Amino acid sequence: MPERAVRIAIIGAGPSAYYAAAALIGQRNVEVRVDMFDRLPAPYGLVRYGVAPDHQRIKSVANLYEKTANDPRVRFFGCVEFGKHITIDNLRPLYDMLVFATGAQSDRHLGIPGEDLQGSMSATEFVAWYNGHPDYRDLNPNLEVEGVAVVGVGNVAMDVARILAKTVDELKETDIAEHALEALKHSKVKNIYVLGRRGAAQAKFTNPEIKEFGKLEHADPVVLASELELDPHSAATVEQDRMARQNVEILREYAARGPGDKPRKVHFRFLVSPVEITGNDSHVAAMKIERNKLVSTPDGYLNAEGTGEFEELPVGMVLRSVGYKGTPLPGVPYDKRKGTIPNDHGRLLNPETGDVIPGAYVVGWAKRGPTGVIGTNKKDAEETVALMLEDVKHLRRAAVAHGQDKKLEDLLAETGCRYISFEEWQKANALELERGKAQGRPRVKFINIEEIRTALGG
Ligand code: NAP
């Protein structure tokens, strides 16, 4: 077989996939060709479908990914589903290395009665809905309710609470999906309860995110000073951890302000856990919460423990925001407990034997779980790529010769896949930007592949 570049398939086209591709083409020792596959028609994963629409600055990282995407050694194939069009078995003969960059597509549950009532959903679904993810176009959350409980105090909880608290005037300059903007225009939501099961010092949100609540046009942050009192362990945390200290300071400032006179309120509650969601005709009508105290475990972790003191919140919608979780991919090992693909620093492992699976790798949330910000994935992907480059020497090459790229096209055609190329996506992207310009918005998104094809002329 004539000498050819190392052929690499990346499954997924989100941030970790682009950081991996950038690291692969950025090195000079090994010649590579990278094909990226995504189930969705648009690239960039969570940057498009996860990052809040009013956080455009974070989204500008897509310009970097675009540079990688435009490199002639990198190709993008949208609307290609792993398990349906492509599988380990049909990719192995075409690629020397496979990289899973499939993220964490599901979410964790609370495990309390009433969680399945209408109006109770995951924050990730709600985020996907307002960000124009095609699978959630028809979520139709009922915003004719006055109270919403957001369970969890991470940055996703901050995003959904803020989007619910903002006015349409505040949101219309973002790239929020048009259907969401229209629904939020008629929102009756007045009280948003953000619930932390542990104390303010243990909150996972970061300083800029909690600070934003002090500057909303139409909503006040409401904090009870009594819930900010710190036990000795938490006081020690706050001493050592700058992020936690500033979070507590910001919350104390909100508590000192009092409830304010804006029509919407975002109530930040601490040391409370939901124990039951109750309904009216199968729809959420209230949430029962229990007051907690913090209990130190032998390893120094502070656990929330119920005190038997209960309260009821009048809410018609519940968004659980207690962390993303991976989903198993057909034919790919999966660690059910962690929700990740078993790996050793990015090399896939056979869970039964613990042996490395040659030529298979993982990056991003599928590798380490749903933690860190977008940029965390850069170092993470670079770690995996360094191992890939080490492994190249011992690589068993796939039996595809130089210039046989058409084999992939044949495979996709055989599996009935009509993919979208990066060039087609770029045309759709330009149209989205144009539609946005006409309305004074960063972009107006196409939601699904049918809309994109129609806009591109069939
Ligand atoms: P997260 O940061 O892990 O927060 C999850 C929250 O859920 C924590 O407060 C956790 O409390 C709570 N929780 C877990 N199980 C619970 C239960 N059974 N009952 C009540 N509360 C429970 O997760 P995330 O908010 O989904 O964010 C995922 C990652 O994306 C994070 O790294 C985040 O920083 C990042 N992100 C960043 C941005 C940004 O930079 N603007 C925006 C969105 C997301 P405990 O601490 O008690 O477990």
Side-chain angles (χ1 to χ4, degrees), residues 185-208:
K185 207 183 271 177
H186 306 289
S187 165
K188 299 239 170 28
V189 173
K190 274 193 184 147
N191 289 301
I192 301 151
Y193 302 90
V194 184
L195 309 177
R197 63 176 166 182
R198 300 191 291 150
Q202 288 79 37
K204 294 264 172 67
F205 49 67
T206 40
N207 304 154

Side-chain angles (χ1 to χ4, degrees), residues 50-52 55 58 108-110 124 151-157 159 195-198 202-206 209 272-274 301-302 321-324 365 370-374:
V51 172
H55 281 176
I58 302 181
R108 292 170 47 203
H109 286 244
L110 297 168
T124 58
V151 184
V153 281
N155 278 336
V156 172
D159 285 347
L195 309 177
R197 63 176 166 182
R198 300 191 291 150
Q202 288 79 37
K204 294 264 172 67
F205 49 67
T206 40
E209 278 65 27
V272 289
S273 278
Y301 186 80
L302 290 175
S321 183
V322 294
Y324 286 79
W365 278 4
T371 58
V373 294
I374 301 278

Side-chain angles (χ1 to χ4, degrees), residues 67-209:
K67 260 192 185 163
T68 302
N70 275 318
D71 188 286
R73 292 167 291 176
V74 177
R75 298 190 297 177
F76 165 79
F77 296 86
C79 298
V80 182
E81 192 172 336
F82 187 85
K84 183 175 171 191
H85 308 113
I86 53 173
T87 61
I88 291 212
D89 288 345
N90 69 17
L91 287 180
R92 279 288 200 192
L94 299 182
Y95 295 92
D96 306 310
M97 292 176 154
L98 309 181
V99 182
F100 293 93
T102 41
Q105 296 180 38
S106 177
D107 73 289
R108 292 170 47 203
H109 286 244
L110 297 168
I112 59 170
E115 204 170 348
D116 296 327
L117 286 167
Q118 274 172 42
S120 160
M121 65 193 88
S122 72
T124 58
E125 288 173 289
F126 190 68
V127 167
W129 169 74
Y130 64 60
N131 271 328
H133 188 302
D135 293 356
Y136 298 94
R137 166 69 183 84
D138 299 321
L139 186 72
N140 295 327
N142 177 7
L143 300 171
E144 298 262 318
V145 298
E146 287 199 1
V148 179
V150 178
V151 184
V153 281
N155 278 336
V156 172
M158 296 299 103
D159 285 347
V160 295
R162 194 179 64 252
I163 295 296
L164 283 167
K166 280 195 166 180
T167 59
V168 166
D169 276 344
E170 286 170 292
L171 291 171
K172 73 178 184 210
E173 284 165 12
T174 74
D175 67 352
I176 192 166
E178 279 187 303
H179 57 252
L181 192 62
E182 185 54 32
L184 287 162
K185 207 183 271 177
H186 306 289
S187 165
K188 299 239 170 28
V189 173
K190 274 193 184 147
N191 289 301
I192 301 151
Y193 302 90
V194 184
L195 309 177
R197 63 176 166 182
R198 300 191 291 150
Q202 288 79 37
K204 294 264 172 67
F205 49 67
T206 40
N207 304 154
E209 278 65 27

